Each structure stands twice: as C-alpha cells, then as structure tokens.
Amino acid sequence: MGKAVRRYRGTTAVLAALTITATLSGCGAGAADGVTLKLVAADYGSTDANTSEKYWNDLARAYEKKTPGVKIDVTVLSWKDVDREVAGMVERGEAPDLAQIGAYADYAHEGKLYPVDTLVSVPTQANFLPMLRQAGEVDRVQYGLPFGASTRMLFFNEELFDKAGAAPPADWDGLRTAARKLEAKGVKFPFALPLGSEESQAETMMWLLGGGGGYRDTTGTAYQIDSPANVQTMTWLKEELVGEGLTGPVAPGDLDRQQAFDAFVRGEVGMLNGHPTLMETAEKAGVKVGTVPLPGVNGKAKATLGVADWMMAFKENGHRKEIGEFLDFVYTDKNVLEFSDRYDLLPVTVTASTAMEADPEHAALRPFLEELAGSELYPVGETSWAKVSESVKKNIGRAVAPDGNPRAVLGEIARDARAAEASASAR
C-alpha cells in the first residue's frame, strides 16, 4: 500500500554481507572431453539490447572457461515459438540436452526427462523454494527445475486515486467503490479486466482465489471449475464490475493482458492485477504506482497467483553428469540473481530470495517475495492443464458478457477439464 519504492540494480554488497556461497557439484573438476550440451531457452527480453541470448552466452562462456572439455551450444527463441520448436525437436528425435520453457509435464509423463535428484547436487535441489520444488513434481518425483518466478498484486495509479478521492481496496466492496469513484472522474479503465485470449487463465485464477475457490479442489486432486464459489465469483464480476461499466470501453473478453498493461503505462487505468515487470515499466513512464495484496470477497484473497517457468533435462543424448554439473552452476546465487535482476523476476532459490529481500535496493520487490511464499501455481504437473488453460482462454470472456451465463460457461470449461483428465489417464 502507498508508493512503490524505486529500486536499482545490484546485489553484490548484500551477497558479500551474507557470505552466501554456492555449491558446485564438480564444476571445476572437468568432464568428459568433447561433450557439447545443447540448450534451448526462452527470450525474456523485449529488444535486441536486453535479449536473453546475451545472458546465456555470457554464462555459457564462463562455464566453459571453468570446465575444459564441455561446450554449451545456446539457442534462444521467442516465447511465441520456443515451446513449439522444442516439441518439434523432441518429435524428430533431436531433443536438446536442456530446455528452459513453459511446461515440462508431458515430457515427464512420457519418460523423456531426467529426475532432478539424478542431476544436481543435494544442496542445489534443496535450495529451491519449497512450493516451486513441489510444483515441479510429477507423481512426487521432481522433473521440472523452476527458472524465474513471479507473483501478482493489485496495482493502482496513485495520482488517479488521489484525484478521485479513492482508497486502495482491501476487499471486493472496496474495489467496486474505488472503481465507481474513478469512473465518475472520467478514468478510461477504472479496473482493467483482461479476459481475452492472451493470458486470461491467469486473470481468472486470481479472481477465483479471491472468491475462495480456484481451479482445483482443496486436495489438489481434481478440477472444481464450476464450483458454487467460482460461479459466484464470475457472477459478481459480470454484475458488479462489468455490468456497471467499471471495466472500460473494451469488453473484457476482447482485452488482452498486454493491452491492459500498455494502458496502465499510459495512465489510462485506475487499477489492475500486475506483476513486478509492469511496476518498473510504469514507473519509468512516470506513473506513480501503488500496490496492495489482491482483494478478496471478504478481505485479502486467500492466495495470489504464483507463476514459474521451467528448466528440464532430456535423456536422449545421455549427458546426465555434464548436465547436472552445468545446472549446479546455473543455480548459483550470482547467476540466479543476475537473471532475476535483468528481467524483474523473483528468484527461485531460498538463498537468492533471502539476498534480494535483505537488499534495500530491492525494497519494492519485498511485497512480491512475501506473497510468493503463500501463492498458488497452476497445476503444471498435470498433463491435462494445457487443454484446460486453452479452454479458459477461449471461453471465459463470455461469462461476463452482457448476455453471458457464468454458470454455463464454467460448466463448459469443467467438461473440457474432465475430458482432458480422462485423455491423460488413458495414456
């Protein structure tokens, strides 16, 4: 709540003060001569100047210098292409040794990945944040190594709030009240609600958690998409926000996340659900950003959305030892923090998170770090999730349309989820 604290690059002083040391599993001892590890990674950069290719090439050259006889062949692809390209490589029998992409579960279920405990040292595996380590498991075996994390908070434009006499919301009633005041002052998007095809599975999950529900039941064993709590949540959105004209001139089903973020950076949005990268971008554009935990129906939401991308190691080329030693190097604090710093992400390891939290230059990220510990991730360990996510993106916008029926739309998505689960279990 209140003004976001500006932050600057650098964690060297804190690392020195904490005397955090990295555990390298044999990195300096060398490996079999002539081994080349092929790495395919996603590009987190927005321009040629900040492409992830530079990060990976610098890291690869540093590792090669430390480990004679091992070469790292780096390919960096855009997020639009990387998952499809890796899938094609695997299908052709040309799997990379390492892939840093969005999902691992299908490959794990097909027996194509090394279990993490056969790759990295015990200190490296134990250093992953517990909830992220667990999210990387299939049938209680970890196959996905988290790589870059993020979480969400409610962002508000402090200048627009001041002009409207609005207070940062602590629950849905407060959110609606603030949106009404913003709308009365002519704010274009009092609350930006992106339920378009780009990433509406994320926006939807945040609202479902705020209403006491979610995609999965409390045991995490089954989908509960059309539960009474979820129906009530989508009905509230349809009637109390969208129906009152508080979500702006673009129908939520036609509004993609990037459109909403761009509008926030332009100063046209009073409130939206955002992540750390947006905060820095908006502040650079002159927007005074305030943040509060995601509001829920009766106070703070039970959890916020946590997101992680994944590193995985394929068995196909048989370089288990060399892959594991390289991953121990990748997950040292220095490298984790450098990547997190560069792309405004949250570290995925305990020691790097501790260093970032203690660093006053990262004060603005402390609320996100605190929220991450209690966040809820997508059910990425389920092979059914990809199809469920697509169904949400395709259909959820209709639930809040003027002629929409939240119960019916959620029922459609629930049927798709059951079919996806049945298909997965039949494999």
Side-chain angles (χ1 to χ4, degrees):
M1 184 172 162
K3 295 184 178 180
V5 180
R6 296 184 182 276
R7 70 188 186 88
Y8 304 91
R9 304 295 187 193
T11 54
T12 305
V14 173
L15 286 173
L18 293 175
T19 62
I20 294 174
T21 58
T23 300
L24 300 179
S25 178
C27 285
D33 288 342
V35 171
T36 297
L37 300 180
K38 182 174 178 57
L39 165 70
V40 178
D43 193 355
Y44 289 76
S46 55
T47 67
D48 290 342
N50 69 346
T51 176
S52 299
E53 188 171 8
K54 184 178 188 308
Y55 170 84
W56 282 113
N57 280 331
D58 289 348
L59 187 146
R61 302 297 84 78
Y63 185 73
E64 290 168 355
K65 184 176 181 180
K66 179 185 288 288
T67 314
V70 176
K71 300 294 183 183
I72 312 297
D73 178 12
V74 175
T75 300
V76 174
L77 301 171
S78 76
W79 272 112
K80 292 181 180 179
D81 302 323
V82 67
D83 288 281
R84 183 183 69 253
E85 290 291 332
V86 169
M89 293 175 190
V90 174
E91 189 174 345
R92 294 191 301 271
E94 301 170 358
D97 297 284
L98 290 157
Q100 186 271 300
I101 53 178
Y104 66 87
D106 282 346
Y107 301 124
H109 277 280
E110 293 166 2
K112 297 182 182 298
L113 301 181
Y114 285 115
V116 174
D117 63 4
T118 70
L119 291 169
V120 301
S121 65
V122 171
T124 296
Q125 186 176 16
N127 197 26
F128 291 120
L129 292 169
M131 47 87 68
L132 296 179
R133 184 173 67 245
Q134 185 175 5
E137 295 178 353
V138 171
D139 296 330
R140 299 186 179 183
V141 177
Q142 185 183 358
Y143 294 93
L145 297 89
F147 193 89
S150 181
T151 191
R152 304 293 191 265
M153 297 186 73
L154 184 128
F155 286 27
F156 61 95
N157 184 313
E158 291 189 338
E159 289 185 354
L160 295 181
F161 263 62
D162 289 344
K163 291 176 182 177
D171 56 25
W172 286 358
D173 284 342
L175 188 149
R176 179 182 52 193
T177 297
R180 285 171 174 168
K181 291 183 177 181
L182 292 162
E183 194 273 337
K185 289 294 184 180
V187 174
K188 188 173 182 179
F189 294 90
F191 187 96
L193 182 66
L195 295 180
S197 61
E198 181 189 352
E199 203 184 39
S200 53
Q201 82 282 4
E203 187 73 19
T204 301
M205 184 168 170
M206 286 182 269
W207 283 99
L208 299 185
L209 291 171
Y215 288 130
R216 306 282 282 183
D217 62 22
T218 55
T219 66
T221 58
Y223 290 102
Q224 58 162 17
I225 291 168
D226 57 350
S227 69
N230 290 347
V231 172
Q232 289 172 9
T233 292
M234 298 311 297
T235 300
W236 188 90
L237 277 175
K238 177 181 184 293
E239 296 177 354
E240 304 297 334
L241 280 189
V242 183
E244 285 200 21
L246 302 177
T247 53
V250 181
D254 296 328
L255 184 67
D256 283 340
R257 181 193 64 165
Q258 193 58 53
Q259 292 175 287
F261 283 11
D262 290 346
F264 187 79
V265 172
R266 292 194 301 267
E268 299 172 353
V269 174
M271 296 176 282
L272 52 57
N273 296 326
H275 55 55
T277 304
L278 174 62
M279 180 173 64
E280 177 140 327
T281 302
E283 288 188 329
K284 285 180 179 177
V287 176
K288 294 183 178 179
V289 182
T291 62
V292 292
L294 295 187
V297 62
N298 292 312
K300 180 182 175 181
K302 72 172 185 178
T304 188
L305 170 68
V307 178
D309 298 317
W310 301 95
M311 178 75 77
M312 62 213 69
F314 287 90
K315 294 178 178 178
E316 186 170 307
N317 301 317
H319 296 145
R320 182 187 61 80
K321 178 176 181 291
E322 292 82 5
I323 291 170
E325 291 174 350
F326 177 62
L327 288 173
D328 278 329
F329 179 73
V330 168
Y331 284 99
T332 59
D333 286 328
K334 176 182 180 295
N335 293 326
V336 170
L337 284 165
E338 183 179 344
F339 189 84
S340 300
D341 254 351
R342 187 173 299 195
Y343 299 109
D344 302 302
L345 295 169
L346 303 180
V348 297
T349 64
V350 174
T351 51
S353 296
T354 300
M356 180 175 280
E357 188 172 10
D359 188 346
E361 295 175 352
H362 290 87
L365 289 181
R366 287 174 187 160
F368 293 94
L369 289 165
E370 293 169 2
E371 291 292 315
L372 181 63
S375 66
E376 187 168 320
L377 279 74
Y378 304 128
V380 290
E382 303 292 335
T383 57
S384 58
W385 169 241
K387 292 182 179 179
V388 174
S389 176
E390 285 303 313
S391 182
V392 173
K393 289 188 282 189
K394 177 182 176 181
N395 296 303
I396 198 64
R398 293 188 290 112
V400 299
D403 59 348
N405 184 326
R407 185 183 301 277
V409 172
L410 290 174
E412 285 183 49
I413 299 170
R415 287 192 291 275
D416 288 343
R418 290 192 290 272
E421 284 194 304
S423 176
S425 63
R427 292 185 179 185

